[in-house]
Amino acid sequence: MQSVKAIVLMDEIYLDNHATTRTDPRVVDGILPWMLDEFANSGSTTHAPGRRVAAKLEECRANIAQLLGAEPEGVVFTSGATESVNLAIFGVALHPRQKRRKIVSVVTEHWASIDSLKKLERLGFEVIRLGVEIHGPESIGMLPIDEVELAIDGDTALVNVMLGNNEIGTLQPFSALAALCRQHGAVLHTDATQAVGKVSVNIAELGADLLSFSSHKFYGPKGIGGLVIHPDSMSIPILPQILGGGQQQNLRSGTLNSVGIVGTELALTLAVEGMVEENARISRLREMLWSELKKRIEGLQLNGPLWNPPIQGMSLENSHPNPASSSAHFVADPHPAPLPARLPGNLNVCFPKVDGQSLMLRAPQLAVSSGSACTSSEPHPSHVLLAIGKSEDEARGSLRFGIGRFNTESEILRAADVLGDAYEELSRFVA
Ligand SMILES: Cc1ncc(COP(=O)(O)O)c(C=O)c1O
């Protein structure tokens, strides 16, 4: 079989880890037996192969639940975050027992939420979309809690607020928000797609009722994710959106994606185990990219919140954890550190006087994104950048970098050189 690698330009630098991540080779190794040998349908419990797969998936479900602060029955596997977000939003709003007609959300959500909420609006729901902080260097993109206080009331069915922003990396503090939702009896759903596996995420501590994630964002396989339910919120009525064989307590029918579930469990275990060291390394690479770009480009602006200072004394070069050290029964820290203000691998910058797409064309060896992956094919400036007070021109002149596990210091230095040269060429052209 021809290696795919052979047809990839060898000098490519992948810095789009918010769009997706490379599947960790340890995850690939771990899932192969569940494709080649133990391939039975976990629903086929009349025979031994089916029962073996079913037992493995229940073990994975329990481990994933434990890593995210849930009970095993509180993990519903889906095809990814888009489906999970749809299940949370439509499942809560459209349940026949739901009498409330109001939804509170934020302008900076991902399209999975935005488009689902537009549909609810067409069905007669009132949707309130709150703005975010545009001042205060460490809180740009955060949801002001007093705005929620004004918007929420006894008719609010659902509050829908993402945990980590996919464009500017803002991490939303949740404790006051969760308390408000509880006080008003509103369900709190968080799209935690960019946060799970990147920062410490525990639904019980966050206080959200529902949480969505996608495994390919944390070095797991594509096409698998989940909706996680808080242990105290198991009785929230959720209307299933995919009907059929009644799997997963009827919440999401369809043959369980055994390969995806095994891969998710492995990827999440590895991410949680290596998180502290990996984040120190990645945030230092981000710091390096930012300062190297600033040296080369006058007037470069940071979009989004300032980050906390990087942890000192950590090696920058690739230090992947030893595969032998990974344990399937890793126990999460019960008292994780508070969330930083920004996702460690996120950098979003505005290049003065040029267009981000044109810059990308002049740096074809770089894989970066102008806006979010799902919107980068359309010409509109990013709704997130506009929401934090950027002009249309500034938004069009911005690029998002997602630094991840497999990036190295030399790639970062090369990316800064390539972009510096591309910017110089382009700005001469537009001057
Ligand atoms: C914040 C956020 N939510 C939801 C999604 C959708 O995830 P998926 O495409 O895996 O369904 C993404 C993907 O970019 C995302 O970044």
Side-chain angles (χ1 to χ4, degrees), residues 18-20 79-85 109-113 162 164-167 191-194 212-217 222-224 372-374 400:
H18 297 304
T20 195
S79 61
T82 301
E83 188 192 326
S84 304
V85 169
E109 290 294 307
H110 184 269
W111 291 100
S113 285
M162 70 178 3
N165 189 273
N166 50 307
E167 295 197 36
D191 174 353
T193 309
Q194 294 291 343
S212 295
F213 73 88
S214 235
S215 310
H216 69 102
K217 306 289 187 181
K222 293 175 179 59
I224 179 80
S372 75
C374 310
R400 175 190 72 174

Side-chain angles (χ1 to χ4, degrees), residues 140 206 229 235 266 276 280 378 405 407:
I140 292 172
L206 272 183
I229 308 173
S235 58
L266 249 174
V276 172
E378 57 170 84
R405 179 174 296 167
N407 290 123

Side-chain angles (χ1 to χ4, degrees), residues 85-145:
V85 169
N86 274 255
L87 176 59
I89 292 179
F90 294 121
V92 168
L94 301 181
H95 194 278
R97 299 217 309 269
Q98 182 59 264
K99 299 293 174 256
R100 300 178 177 208
R101 308 301 291 167
K102 205 161 139 179
I103 317 286
V104 176
S105 190
V106 195
V107 286
T108 48
E109 290 294 307
H110 184 269
W111 291 100
S113 285
I114 295 176
D115 281 353
S116 300
L117 294 176
K118 276 190 198 153
K119 182 167 171 190
L120 281 188
E121 226 162 15
R122 290 195 294 275
L123 293 173
F125 282 81
E126 181 191 355
V127 178
I128 299 176
R129 298 173 182 85
L130 301 173
V132 293
E133 298 281 4
I134 60 173
H135 302 296
E138 281 173 15
S139 45
I140 292 172
M142 287 181 189
L143 173 63
I145 195 70

Side-chain angles (χ1 to χ4, degrees), residues 173-230:
F174 253 69
S175 57
L177 180 63
L180 254 184
C181 292
R182 221 171 302 124
Q183 187 188 327
H184 291 273
V187 174
L188 176 57
H189 166 246
T190 186
D191 174 353
T193 309
Q194 294 291 343
V196 168
K198 303 290 176 51
V199 291
S200 173
V201 175
N202 178 304
I203 192 169
E205 287 178 9
L206 272 183
D209 297 292
L210 305 172
L211 178 152
S212 295
F213 73 88
S214 235
S215 310
H216 69 102
K217 306 289 187 181
F218 52 90
Y219 313 95
K222 293 175 179 59
I224 179 80
L227 182 68
V228 180
I229 308 173
H230 189 291

Side-chain angles (χ1 to χ4, degrees), residues 285-295 300-302 306-307 347-349 412:
L285 290 178
R286 182 218 358 231
E287 183 75 38
M288 174 181 272
L289 181 58
W290 171 232
S291 57
E292 291 298 322
L293 285 174
K294 271 196 302 183
K295 277 188 213 159
L300 193 74
Q301 282 177 47
L302 177 68
L306 278 183
W307 48 81
L347 180 67
N348 194 316
V349 295
I412 296 296

